[in-house]
Amino acid sequence: MTDLANHKEPLYIIKIGGNVIDNPTGLDSFLRAFSNIEAKKILVHGGGKIATAIGEKSGIQSKYIDGRRITDDATIDLVTMVYGGLVNKKMVADLQSINCNAIGITGADANLLPAKKRPVKEINYGWVGDVSAEDIDSKMWLLFLENNLVPVVAPLTHDGNGHMLNTNADTIASILAVNLSSYYEVQLVFCFEKNGVLLNVDDENSVVKQLDPDSYHQLKESKSLFAGILPKIDNAFDAINKGVKEVLIGNSSQLSVLLNGESGTKISKK
Amino acid sequence: MTDLANHKEPLYIIKIGGNVIDNPTGLDSFLRAFSNIEAKKILVHGGGKIATAIGEKSGIQSKYIDGRRITDDATIDLVTMVYGGLVNKKMVADLQSINCNAIGITGADANLLPAKKRPVKEINYGWVGDVSAEDIDSKMWLLFLENNLVPVVAPLTHDGNGHMLNTNADTIASILAVNLSSYYEVQLVFCFEKNGVLLNVDDENSVVKQLDPDSYHQLKESKSLFAGILPKIDNAFDAINKGVKEVLIGNSSQLSVLLNGESGTKISKK
């Protein structure tokens, strides 16, 4: 925290997707780089294909309506087991072995991420939870961070009525970043399989190094960006407008150079 | 903690076995009674048949050598998923819905239960961990308890080298009770399917209400007790000799009367 004359301590909130988790060698070297970050930090992880694989083995099929994944009773049990148990605890045990005092949590634990079950409109998403920065009580997060614990967050929340909920890991990372920006200088980092925001989606060397509202506007106007990345960038600017210092987007295999500015895309106010 | 003139605050460490977990109605009413305990508390849970059932569905067979369960690679993943994920988080979400600020943990989380992989002698138990009271760093437990968190502990530890380990829940409850006796007046409570220590194993009304070293010695001499219960009682006296105030053994469906002394067996120094 150390809020002396507005100088806040840095906090890294780093999100990794399923593709990192599905690759044991990649995950191992990512975790080493993560452990080496000296500042306070939080890791938010997605799920990966392992839940689908384990689900298929035990006869639980992924269900989709109009291309959207539905979390029915069997699926919420499956992801609670796989994301909250297997994936989360393996990562925690790994981090503990490399000098990082990780604590694996879901949003139910210590009520860290209260959520609302998504209302049924055209689609009944099932046990899916929506979270917002305002609903998070920072107190418990501060207790952990100030005691040098490193939260490792599974993409699961709870409804306060005894039900676990499936929740998007990108969203968890973003709202946590916004919430904790009152106490820390938050760097929100999205790690994925690409080198950053690309001008040409097939060319990993076409990374846009820096984006501010003006340059983003220009690139959008000239249709220079792949449409699929636009929601990610919009969310990044939204987080920045709500207090997050900057957002980094880059390759999970390059975490240390991503953090020191030598790779990836940096999104900031100016 | 409040250690004024040797008067320590009470702490309940309560262990429930798999039979409670396998019975949703029983579990629900147990958790309500647990949540109603006003003092500081820790819940340690076993596994239950659900791991075996899920394992069989996904083609993981329980392995035994000379009647002893072996934890191979597939089995440690299975129990990490089922005990550390499904069973643990469902209980945490339930407790959160009834006014109990539960936090689900394994021994890897925050390094709360460091363990040693059991050495291979006649039998290779696989990924099984042995724990001892001296190896536990009380600091993090105190942090949680003093901040009114209620740890819900899965029967899993870690070896510090990146591996999760399967560990007996009774043992975890006992060593935790011994370790935390320096700070709290610990009541260690073993809940199971019987009404307590029975003089006649077929008669639930034959509960031995109180055991101290003398009365235990007499009952043992006269062979009045079922042999299967003797190790549990020996462990209880061991915990008491190491600082635990008393040990209660009784039925999980009678937690509140067990705690106020109206049912079950109370084991104490005198």
Side-chain angles (χ1 to χ4, degrees), chain A residues 207-227:
Chain A
V207 174
V208 180
K209 289 204 163 45
Q210 197 127 8
L211 274 176
D212 59 34
D214 288 347
S215 60
Y216 180 43
H217 185 73
Q218 283 169 19
L219 287 172
K220 257 207 304 202
E221 288 288 296
S222 62
K223 299 205 183 334
S224 305
L225 295 170
F226 173 56

Side-chain angles (χ1 to χ4, degrees), chain B residues 48-115:
Chain B
K49 294 187 189 121
I50 185 169
T52 313
I54 292 174
E56 277 171 6
K57 265 196 192 171
S58 41
I60 301 165
Q61 293 289 334
S62 301
K63 286 187 190 63
Y64 293 85
I65 298 182
D66 295 344
R68 313 221 178 209
R69 192 173 178 152
I70 306 302
T71 306
D72 60 8
D73 290 355
T75 304
I76 189 65
D77 280 359
L78 177 69
V79 296
T80 299
M81 284 202 314
V82 178
Y83 302 161
L86 189 61
V87 171
N88 189 270
K89 299 311 172 193
K90 275 193 160 183
M91 250 185 265
V92 168
D94 268 355
L95 285 168
Q96 284 288 345
S97 76
I98 50 175
N99 204 24
C100 174
N101 201 4
I103 178 166
I105 61 115
T106 69
D109 299 296
N111 193 30
L112 286 162
L113 295 169

Side-chain angles (χ1 to χ4, degrees), chain B residues 75-184:
Chain B
T75 304
I76 189 65
D77 280 359
L78 177 69
V79 296
T80 299
M81 284 202 314
V82 178
Y83 302 161
L86 189 61
V87 171
N88 189 270
K89 299 311 172 193
K90 275 193 160 183
M91 250 185 265
V92 168
D94 268 355
L95 285 168
Q96 284 288 345
S97 76
I98 50 175
N99 204 24
C100 174
N101 201 4
I103 178 166
I105 61 115
T106 69
D109 299 296
N111 193 30
L112 286 162
L113 295 169
K116 291 184 178 67
K117 185 173 180 292
R118 187 169 299 171
V120 179
K121 291 178 184 167
E122 293 94 59
I123 297 178
N124 181 354
Y125 288 91
W127 300 112
V128 169
D130 293 318
V131 284
S132 70
E134 306 85 62
D135 291 342
I136 297 177
D137 181 354
S138 318
K139 215 181 64 205
M140 204 55 71
W141 290 96
L142 297 179
L143 181 73
F144 288 179
L145 293 168
E146 292 302 309
N147 284 280
N148 297 316
L149 287 171
V150 178
V152 175
V153 186
L156 295 161
T157 59
H158 77 132
D159 67 358
N161 300 315
H163 296 287
M164 296 301 293
L165 300 168
N166 206 351
T167 298
N168 183 276
D170 280 35
T171 312
I172 290 176
S174 297
I175 60 137
L176 213 44
V178 169
N179 181 282
L180 294 171
S181 286
S182 307
Y183 309 94
Y184 300 98

Side-chain angles (χ1 to χ4, degrees), chain B residues 177-198:
Chain B
V178 169
N179 181 282
L180 294 171
S181 286
S182 307
Y183 309 94
Y184 300 98
E185 192 177 85
V186 178
Q187 307 248 348
L188 174 60
V189 185
F190 291 102
C191 290
F192 67 155
E193 68 283 7
K194 303 215 166 282
N195 286 348
V197 174
L198 303 177

Side-chain angles (χ1 to χ4, degrees), chain A residues 38-236:
Chain A
E38 284 181 21
K40 298 200 185 302
K41 51 195 185 267
I42 295 172
L43 179 60
V44 181
H45 64 83
K49 294 188 190 119
I50 185 170
T52 313
I54 292 175
E56 278 171 5
K57 265 195 192 172
S58 39
I60 301 165
Q61 294 289 333
S62 301
K63 284 185 191 64
Y64 292 85
I65 298 181
D66 296 345
R68 314 223 177 206
R69 192 174 178 152
I70 305 301
T71 307
D72 60 8
D73 290 355
T75 304
I76 189 67
D77 280 359
L78 177 69
V79 296
T80 299
M81 283 200 318
V82 178
Y83 303 161
L86 189 62
V87 171
N88 188 272
K89 299 310 172 193
K90 275 194 160 182
M91 251 185 263
V92 168
D94 268 355
L95 286 167
Q96 285 287 347
S97 76
I98 50 175
N99 204 24
C100 175
N101 200 4
I103 178 165
I105 61 114
T106 68
D109 298 297
N111 194 28
L112 286 161
L113 295 169
K116 291 182 179 68
K117 185 172 182 291
R118 188 169 298 170
V120 179
K121 289 176 184 167
E122 292 93 58
I123 298 177
N124 181 354
Y125 287 92
W127 300 112
V128 168
D130 293 318
V131 282
S132 70
E134 306 86 61
D135 290 342
I136 299 176
D137 180 356
S138 318
K139 215 180 64 203
M140 205 53 74
W141 291 97
L142 298 179
L143 181 74
F144 287 179
L145 294 168
E146 292 302 309
N147 283 282
N148 297 315
L149 287 171
V150 177
V152 176
V153 186
L156 294 161
T157 59
H158 78 131
D159 66 358
N161 301 315
H163 296 286
M164 297 299 295
L165 299 169
N166 206 350
T167 299
N168 182 277
D170 280 35
T171 312
I172 290 177
S174 297
I175 61 139
L176 213 43
V178 169
N179 181 282
L180 294 171
S181 285
S182 308
Y183 308 95
Y184 300 99
E185 191 176 84
V186 178
Q187 308 248 352
L188 174 60
V189 186
F190 290 102
C191 289
F192 67 156
E193 68 282 8
K194 302 214 166 283
N195 286 348
V197 174
L198 303 177
L199 284 175
N200 173 355
V201 76
D202 296 319
D203 179 5
E204 290 290 335
N205 293 318
S206 68
V207 174
V208 180
K209 289 204 163 45
Q210 197 127 8
L211 274 176
D212 59 34
D214 288 347
S215 60
Y216 180 43
H217 185 73
Q218 283 169 19
L219 287 172
K220 257 207 304 202
E221 288 288 296
S222 62
K223 299 205 183 334
S224 305
L225 295 170
F226 173 56
I229 196 80
L230 301 183
K232 253 190 168 35
I233 304 176
D234 289 332
N235 287 338

